[in-house]
Amino acid sequence: MRTLESLGELAGKTVIVRSDLNVPLKDGVITDDGRIRAAAVTVSELRDKGARVVVCSHLGRPGGEVKPEFSLRPVAERFGEIIGSPVAFVSESVGEAADQAIQALNNGEVLLLENLRFNPQETSKDETERQAFAAELSKHTDFVVLDGFGVVHRSQASVTELAKARPSVAGRLVAAEVDVLEKLTVDAEKPYVVVLGGSKVSDKLGVIDHLLERVDKLVIGGGMLFTFLAAQGHSVASSLLESDQIPNCQKYLERAKELGVELLLPVDVVVAEKFAPDAAHETVAADKIAESRFGEAGIGLDIGPESAKKFAETISGAKTVFWNGPMGVFEMPAFAHGTREVAEALTRVSGLSVVGGGDSAAAVRQLGFKDDQFGHISTGGGASLEFLEGKTLPGLEVLR
Ligand code: ADP
Ligand code: MG
């Protein structure tokens, strides 16, 4: 994959960087700036090399219309604080104002364009429309840097077409992500443990399928554990269940056995009366969920303490760990214990520990862990999962 080195002298060159600045916002305030910090590495390097840096990104799903609540303006300010020099902002991504702002840049200055998805061409199904948008975006630039790992699995104008419009390379973030994800798919150091959780088993089947032959142990928690328990014939009361996936879970339980992969499911579960932060709850054995004092109304919202301990031991003894998906509804403090224990165990891994997935990354930060306590925190949830499913990612293909 081509990287920044192959661009040669950058002083005075105008470089457009496709970042992923899709940060969570609440009433116009950024609630987690992890993605901005991740994007800052490439942008500061380009700035320091004297390039004129144009940054572009999407934010949320405005659906091809200008919607002020999805403006990137608040991101420009925070970006400037993070890189320690001002980041100018222009309230469109293409057009006269954008052209003028780009041409007004001096060496080492940074400009952020407005949300790409305010323009319907960005995500158009029509390739010529996407090409036209990419041509506009790159009109006054010399090079393209793809650094939004969160979007490399998308065929969108600012990804595939933009990369074809000018000489293009991977930014530091994309290069680092690919480097780590390759370590998880090719010759990972053993013992190799994969921990999966989160809400839906159907989202994670592809990963289970691709990684099952590569791992020593597969640990399952989160909402998806209930479909596995159901596949073993246990009742899960009112817990999250994807009935149509029961046969698939049965298939993976069997394949794990054939491959000699240890598949760890919780031995105990925290069952709540209802889905609420203050809900009454109790810990029961994983095969006795329907026998909690809440009966058929009981909802499993976290793995139990014994399971958390067992999972943590398994994780901390590994040389390679990939974790995707919270162990419980960590957003509610009463049901965050399992996720906290698993995160804690990852910080003790002596080899490579990787956290992937938007909610998982948010969970470790919300629980007070620091990014540098982990080997790597992947910024692109969907993209990292697709990579680990063995899929071809269009935004990486164009850079090879
Ligand atoms: P990621 O974004 O890291 O890939 P997911 O999107 O798959 O993770 O899942 C995250 C969500 O899963 C969280 O919002 C969490 O509340 C939810 N979750 C975890 N355990 C349960 C559970 N037992 N029941 C319902 N939801 C759960
Ligand atoms: Mg998610």
Side-chain angles (χ1 to χ4, degrees):
M1 213 164 58
R2 298 186 299 272
T3 56
L4 293 179
E5 281 68 30
S6 66
L7 294 180
E9 181 60 45
L10 285 169
K13 300 289 188 197
T14 306
V15 181
I16 183 162
V17 185
R18 180 23 163 137
S19 299
D20 176 7
L21 302 173
N22 186 24
V23 292
L25 284 173
K26 202 168 185 183
D27 306 322
V29 177
I30 299 161
T31 56
D32 177 14
D33 63 7
R35 285 188 165 154
I36 307 177
R37 283 184 280 128
V41 177
T42 298
V43 170
S44 347
E45 181 176 342
L46 291 168
R47 172 201 60 193
D48 294 345
K49 288 181 170 162
R52 303 166 181 202
V53 191
V54 182
V55 184
C56 63
S57 174
H58 70 290
L59 179 70
R61 295 172 185 269
E65 284 170 47
V66 177
K67 292 198 179 144
E69 66 270 31
F70 293 107
S71 173
L72 277 167
R73 190 181 290 275
V75 172
E77 199 176 316
R78 185 81 194 93
F79 210 138
E81 286 163 18
I82 290 170
I83 66 170
S85 66
V87 170
F89 179 77
V90 58
S91 56
E92 60 182 22
S93 56
V94 296
E96 226 167 278
D99 287 347
Q100 277 173 14
I102 293 172
Q103 288 176 295
L105 283 172
N106 292 310
N107 293 7
E109 286 182 351
V110 182
L111 168 74
L112 176 63
L113 305 178
E114 181 56 288
N115 194 343
L116 294 162
R117 290 193 191 162
F118 282 178
N119 191 315
Q121 288 171 301
E122 163 69 353
T123 54
S124 170
K125 299 253 180 296
D126 182 347
E127 193 184 346
T128 51
E129 276 193 23
R130 295 200 306 269
Q131 278 168 345
F133 187 53
E136 276 297 308
L137 274 174
S138 58
K139 198 161 64 179
H140 299 293
T141 67
D142 300 293
F143 299 122
V144 171
V145 175
L146 288 193
D147 204 34
F149 188 74
V151 290
V152 290
H153 60 315
R154 307 259 190 236
S155 285
Q156 295 177 346
S158 67
V159 183
T160 31
E161 279 75 26
L162 185 63
K164 288 177 193 159
R166 289 285 180 278
S168 56
V169 300
R172 297 300 181 210
L173 179 59
V174 162
E177 294 267 10
V178 170
D179 194 47
V180 168
L181 292 172
E182 263 166 5
K183 285 189 189 132
L184 295 178
T185 43
V186 187
D187 295 331
E189 213 187 325
K190 299 203 155 218
Y192 181 9
V193 175
V194 167
V195 186
L196 294 177
S199 43
K200 288 165 83 187
V201 71
S202 48
D203 288 349
K204 318 278 159 114
L205 285 177
V207 179
I208 298 179
D209 199 65
H210 197 65
L211 291 184
L212 203 56
E213 322 192 337
R214 295 167 166 79
V215 306
D216 301 297
K217 292 178 188 182
L218 178 62
V219 177
I220 300 210
M224 64 188 277
L225 78 90
F226 302 102
T227 308
F228 273 92
L229 290 180
Q232 291 181 325
H234 304 306
S235 162
V236 299
S238 299
S239 308
L240 201 65
L241 176 68
E242 284 177 89
S243 319
D244 55 334
Q245 299 299 342
I246 291 175
N248 270 325
C249 291
Q250 278 162 340
K251 186 180 89 184
Y252 290 118
L253 285 166
E254 264 162 45
R255 263 195 62 208
K257 216 178 268 168
E258 280 161 27
L259 292 164
V261 172
E262 192 183 337
L263 197 150
L264 280 91
L265 281 165
V267 291
D268 56 351
V269 173
V270 180
V271 177
E273 184 177 22
K274 55 183 182 197
F275 192 91
D278 58 353
H281 55 273
E282 69 177 3
T283 301
V284 297
D287 56 0
K288 303 236 169 1
I289 293 177
E291 291 164 42
S292 85
R293 66 180 149 110
F294 315 115
E296 278 304 313
I299 314 174
L301 294 184
D302 195 9
I303 58 171
E306 207 179 308
S307 311
K309 193 162 163 256
K310 181 112 194 292
F311 286 7
E313 279 164 13
T314 305
I315 291 163
S316 54
K319 278 279 175 234
T320 307
V321 185
F322 171 66
W323 171 35
N324 167 262
M327 294 292 101
V329 183
F330 74 92
E331 295 93 336
M332 307 180 190
F335 309 108
H337 178 76
T339 303
R340 182 181 289 109
E341 290 293 297
V342 160
E344 225 285 309
L346 256 88
T347 66
R348 285 184 269 124
V349 170
S350 63
L352 175 66
S353 61
V354 181
V355 182
D359 291 296
S360 308
V364 298
R365 291 180 183 129
Q366 189 188 308
L367 294 173
F369 294 92
K370 296 276 167 279
D371 290 18
D372 62 8
Q373 290 181 276
F374 304 93
H376 183 77
I377 299 186
S378 181
T379 50
S384 50
L385 287 184
E386 287 196 20
F387 190 104
L388 295 174
E389 285 170 31
K391 288 191 183 154
T392 305
L393 309 186
L396 298 181
E397 279 312 292
V398 289
L399 301 176
R400 291 192 203 273

